[in-house]
Amino acid sequence: MKRRDFIKALPLGVAAVGVPFSLGGFAGRAFGRSPVLDSILNGSDGSDRVLVLINLAGGNDGLNTVIPFTDPVYAKARPTIGFGPASHATLSTTNLSTSIARQDLALNPAMAMRAGTTQSMFELFSTKKLAIVNNVGYPSPSLSHFRSTDIWNTASDSNVVLTTGWLGRYLEEAVDTNYPTDVKTGDDPLAITIGGAPSAAFQGTTFGMGIAVLDPSNYLTAGAPQAESTASTNAGAELAYVRGIYQQSDIYANQFTKYFTKGQTPKNTVNYPSTNIAQQLQRVAWCIAAGMKTKVYFVQLAGFDTHISQNATDPSVSGQAQLLMQLSQAIGAFQTDMENAGMADRVIGMTYSEFGRRVNENGSNGTDHGTSAPQFLFGTQINGEVYSSHPNLTDLDSNADLKWAVDFRQLYTSVLGDWFGVSPQMRKAILMDKTTSGEQFAFNIPVNGTSTVQSLIKTPAVRSVSSAPQPLDFVLNPNYPNPFTSSTTVSFALARTMPVKLEVYSERGERVAELANATLGRGTHEFVFGANGLANGTYICRLEAGDGVLVRQMTVVR
Amino acid sequence: MPLLSAITVLLLNAIMDRRSFLRTAGSAAGAAALLDAPIAPLQARQSSQADVAAIIKRTERNRDMVQSTLAPWGGSLDAHTTGHVYRRAGFGGTVAELKAAASLTPSALIDALLDDKWTLDANMPGPPSHAQTWMLLPPYQGTDLQRQIQQNIDDSNARYAIRRSWAVEMSRPSTMLREKMVYFWANHFVVEAQKVEYPHLLLPYLTYFRKHPWGNFKQMVKDVSVLPAMLYYLDGWYSKGRNPNENYARELMELFTLGVTDKDGNPNYTEDDIKAVALALTGYSIDFSTATVNGFPAIYTISDHDSSLKKPFSSLGAPIRSYGLSSSLHSVPDDIIDCLFQYRGDKLAYFICGKLYQYFVYHDISGATEQAIISQLATTFQNANWELKPVLQQLLKSEHFFDEANIGAAIKSPFEYMIGLARQFDIPLDEFQTGTLEMYGLSLLNQSLLDPPNVKGWPGYRSWVSTTTLPIRNKYLASALAMTGGTTGIPAWNGVTGYGENYTGILWSDADVLKWAAQFGEYKGDVHHFISQVATFLCAQPPASDFLTTYVFAPLSFPDYEWPTMPDADRVIKIRTILTAITTLPEFQIM
């Protein structure tokens, strides 16, 4: 098997590796185009994009994170630990409804806290760099920390046990090689956990696809392994595993030496707080700023299992508020650092926590295990909005827990497809989607209080990850008429049944319409694009089908 | 089948396996897929015909074909198998200990380790250093800030003292299985010192397992349910009246007794069961005003107990009762835990025996193992009315435990690794030295005793080794202990104990190195023979002699005929180099 240069591909490396990509009717590159549009047309192929996963371990209480403070049911369910009327003045400073959310919601005030001159999570939201996705969960929720964490890490159904992580499967497909055997000198780690053991989300079929590094600026090797066979016994399997870790440890040694000078602490553009989570993110920032091509980083903030001491308002008293403050300060510092360093358009972060907590507080100033909760994505490339409605506190399941509205795998679809450019077929495979039509976990969640469905990612990646470059088996025809005044017809032909996504983008890179998002059969398909309400100018029609992407330019003239 | 085709098939299988992501619930084949494919070594070696033959030969001993059972092992002990017992049922043995133990029958050796006398008061270790300064004083509960701060410092110092003294206990050979069980229970009935800050709670918690390392499991569950450290850790002492806290009830079933699902993927309990058990266990608190040598006592207040009728395991026919209405401290757990064992006993037996199997034999339970081993152990467990000792006897004396395929099938945890290093080199450890080891564990190796990451405990097994922890083991511990060039041991951790004494390093003098080497018979004769003997002693699966020549002898860069006449001053340097080479091999990480 030949390794594809996924990790080493440059932002414009699409053509270099021969992945099918067409500029359609475009005649070369125009001057003065926005970088965002450039990215839609030429790729970002996703190859220089970074995801930072932030695990909130223990089960973060969603109702005191994104707070439905005017809901009388909330007040009744949380008489002791809730944000009652007395705290409404405080909540006005983090009120989401005054800005974007169309519901009466406020962020926990601890999330308005920032470190030094950096930003808080609330400020990230106000500047549209933080997406809040309400009510994320999955069917038949497990209330076990460990089972539910496994479900999130492996992206499995609740009743299915998988041994590979969702990012492990993605990275396996991305490198398409025997890892780590075929890793070449000059390759960077595919994924890094800041800590002692790699995240289960990175677990591949035969080996972990990520490595653990405590301090990237002081990387140590275990010593060169010997290429020896191992017995096909339990003992041989464990020895082979240890050898593999030696090998992983050894192959990246040169890279870390290249990026970091031993004994010299790398510099950041901001001062990070001294909390553990901030220090972890600071180390991630070192790697990104140094130019490492690692795709995914994993950091963790633990302690959210607030069965007790969850008093609502005061970070110095409440376990949860203290953690949310640390999170806000750490994420804000990291985001500011990335912006100052000019890296921000390449990096997004996403939180996940195994579950939210019971609606009704318990008798110990705390909450027991529950189900769905809000999750966050941040970055300059995130469409900062509140997505989905806040959960209905009166429509509970049989265990008096919230009913989810967004499957967490829908977030994964967004990250894989729109951020990393994974093709619909491949992301279906990665997410174990066995449906025959469309995508089971397509991100079709409307913005809070509207019917608008938009991507979480501002500029979707265009490169598709597939097992091998191959000729396209679909065609995007020129739209007719073009230019047009009120509407135009877009048609395309498919050589076989395949998942299809047809979208229209403005020149600034905003998605203005999604014309199709389904699995369609062989033959020609037509969609009408209405330009009502759109300004004169150039629009980009983007067709993602099978394993490729085609784009065409359309012009509105009135 | 021609040899190379066989290799190709193996490789293809490996590649195919990589694609089959999906494993259904309860399929023990799941994790096995990870193991089926030692791709790297096979690829690296397929060019050499001789190696191919060797691989094929070894492949014939496929792990799924292992036929060993729980029947008593009929073999005789030798250094290899005795070493296995000392590593798995303890924390490693010295050359002399292995030699002495090899004269016993396997059954006699196991019985000696499982002797109940090790659980008697007379054989309990003394208190940790400085225990008298905190153990009998209730913690300061007042409002004076300075005194509060001092109390926090005192508690922290005392927690470290408990950890250091525990590590010393691990290094004692006669009670090693007892301590190995304490190590097991502290990762089963987990508490985290990070939350349970009071040393007054932590020390009695450890002592409880020392006194009941292989006792009656049902009694253990009852006792642990009201052990103050556990009441504190999982919030039982908050759980009152009709407004209970579910923390303990959930983990009691999920982690301590049943597991979420059985081996076929069926749920072992429902959310309603958790609510019922949580209600039944209301009414406990801890008396923080009374410090005794046994720590703070648990209190049961009947008026804080929910007296409503509860329906645990109602679909299985368990009685609807209020559970535990007498005023005795033990009435509640006696009642509800009896119910749990009566109605879920078969699931419980399987879960606990599976966990013991993983701990002592192999982390990945295959379908064949389920049938041949775990279910048999579970039967033994139930027939013995939840006594643990018969289960351990059956397992540790079995041909399956002594099966060559399982010798070396465990990856050493940080403390198995560190204590084992000292034990194998016959270096006695005191509290100041284990203080240094504790700091390595805490800071760099992902294991601080009594402080696992969460209520499930350390995930253990393969998670112990990573690109973070392996280099630390090799660079700072193994190499340091055996290193030439001025350093003759693991340097003291830079710091002092909270009581003003220095942590100390673990030194190994040249004289002790030579004395240690002299145990290997004619060690001054043939250097290759010496290397081979040392590797056989240090590694559960020692590398082949051609491997040792290439990777251990060749880097020594001297003609082997010089060895017999080499002056001791030079020889000790060579010996340290040999030991560094062997203890930094992947083979030294498994046990």
Side-chain angles (χ1 to χ4, degrees), chain B residues 372-444:
Chain B
I373 310 290
I374 310 295
S375 63
Q376 302 298 309
L377 290 172
T379 302
T380 302
F381 196 25
Q382 281 180 286
N383 290 345
N385 223 349
W386 313 111
E387 290 294 329
L388 287 153
K389 198 168 163 179
V391 176
L392 291 177
Q393 283 171 323
Q394 186 178 26
L395 180 61
L396 297 179
K397 293 178 180 182
S398 70
E399 60 179 34
H400 189 68
F401 177 73
F402 285 99
D403 191 322
E404 191 62 27
N406 289 327
I407 295 180
I411 290 174
K412 293 173 182 171
S413 73
F415 276 84
E416 285 163 344
Y417 173 84
M418 292 192 292
I419 303 294
L421 200 57
R423 295 247 63 228
Q424 289 195 309
F425 290 147
D426 203 1
I427 302 169
L429 294 173
D430 63 27
E431 279 194 43
F432 305 108
Q433 293 169 318
T434 54
T436 286
L437 296 183
E438 167 63 20
M439 297 314 288
Y440 271 103
L442 170 70
S443 308
L444 297 166

Side-chain angles (χ1 to χ4, degrees), chain A residues 144 161 196 205 212 234 399, chain B residues 23 34 254 275 362 406 466-467:
Chain A
S144 152
V161 175
T205 313
N234 293 342
N399 198 41
Chain B
R23 310 283 169 199
L34 291 174
E254 176 177 339
K275 290 189 164 77
Y362 193 50
N406 289 327
S466 73
T467 49

Side-chain angles (χ1 to χ4, degrees), chain A residues 1 141-147 150 159-164 168-169 171-173 175-182 193-198 203-215 218-250 252 302 305-309 355 358 361-370 398-401 426 429-430 432 434 467, chain B residues 11 14-15 17-26 30-31 33-45 51 54-55 58-64 66 195 232 234-235 237-239 243-247 250-251 254-255 260 269 271-272 275 357 361-364 400 404-411 443-444 446 453-457 461-472 474-476 541 546-547 551 583-590:
Chain A
M1 281 195 291
S142 168
L143 271 60
S144 152
H145 289 294
F146 309 101
R147 181 66 198 125
D150 286 349
N159 61 348
V160 173
V161 175
L162 298 178
T163 57
T164 54
R169 298 197 291 273
L171 294 169
E172 268 184 343
E173 293 309 323
V175 297
D176 194 26
T177 184
N178 285 324
Y179 179 88
T181 312
D182 295 350
T193 298
I194 304 292
Q203 181 62 46
T205 313
T206 54
F207 213 76
M209 302 300 289
I211 65 168
V213 184
L214 201 57
D215 180 356
N218 187 25
Y219 185 85
L220 299 169
T221 63
Q226 295 78 29
E228 286 290 316
S229 64
T230 46
S232 183
T233 62
N234 293 342
E238 298 316 292
L239 181 58
Y241 184 81
V242 176
R243 285 233 174 92
I245 302 287
Y246 272 72
Q247 195 172 1
Q248 266 191 331
S249 167
D250 193 52
Y252 296 123
D305 193 19
T306 47
H307 288 275
I308 57 167
S309 304
F355 43 63
R358 189 78 36 86
E361 66 183 39
N362 63 23
S364 338
N365 291 334
T367 45
D368 292 325
H369 300 186
S398 59
N399 198 41
D401 282 317
M426 190 53 70
I430 291 170
M432 308 290 165
K434 293 183 283 293
S467 49
Chain B
L11 284 170
I15 291 158
D17 253 31
R18 198 173 76 75
R19 301 278 167 176
S20 55
F21 301 135
L22 193 63
R23 310 283 169 199
T24 50
L34 291 174
L35 312 172
D36 288 338
I39 297 173
L42 285 176
Q43 271 207 329
R45 303 264 293 195
D51 292 339
I55 292 165
R58 293 188 207 186
T59 307
E60 284 167 0
R61 200 175 56 185
N62 187 300
R63 61 184 217 85
D64 287 332
V66 168
K195 179 170 177 179
Y232 192 85
L234 290 180
D235 308 322
W237 69 300
Y238 272 106
S239 195
N243 206 358
N245 185 309
E246 294 177 6
N247 206 358
R250 178 182 304 281
E251 309 307 2
E254 176 177 339
L255 301 174
V260 177
Y269 53 88
E271 289 295 319
D272 286 343
K275 290 189 164 77
Y357 176 86
V361 183
Y362 193 50
H363 69 93
D364 180 26
H400 189 68
E404 191 62 27
N406 289 327
I407 295 180
I411 290 174
S443 308
L444 297 166
N446 257 10
N454 54 50
V455 63
K456 198 178 183 177
Y461 310 116
R462 290 181 172 191
S463 77
W464 286 131
V465 292
S466 73
T467 49
T468 294
T469 56
L470 267 184
I472 301 296
N474 287 350
K475 185 176 166 72
Y476 292 112
Q541 288 288 347
D546 59 339
F547 177 99
Y551 296 111
T583 54
T584 54
L585 286 175
E587 280 79 351
F588 189 69
Q589 307 299 334
I590 59 172

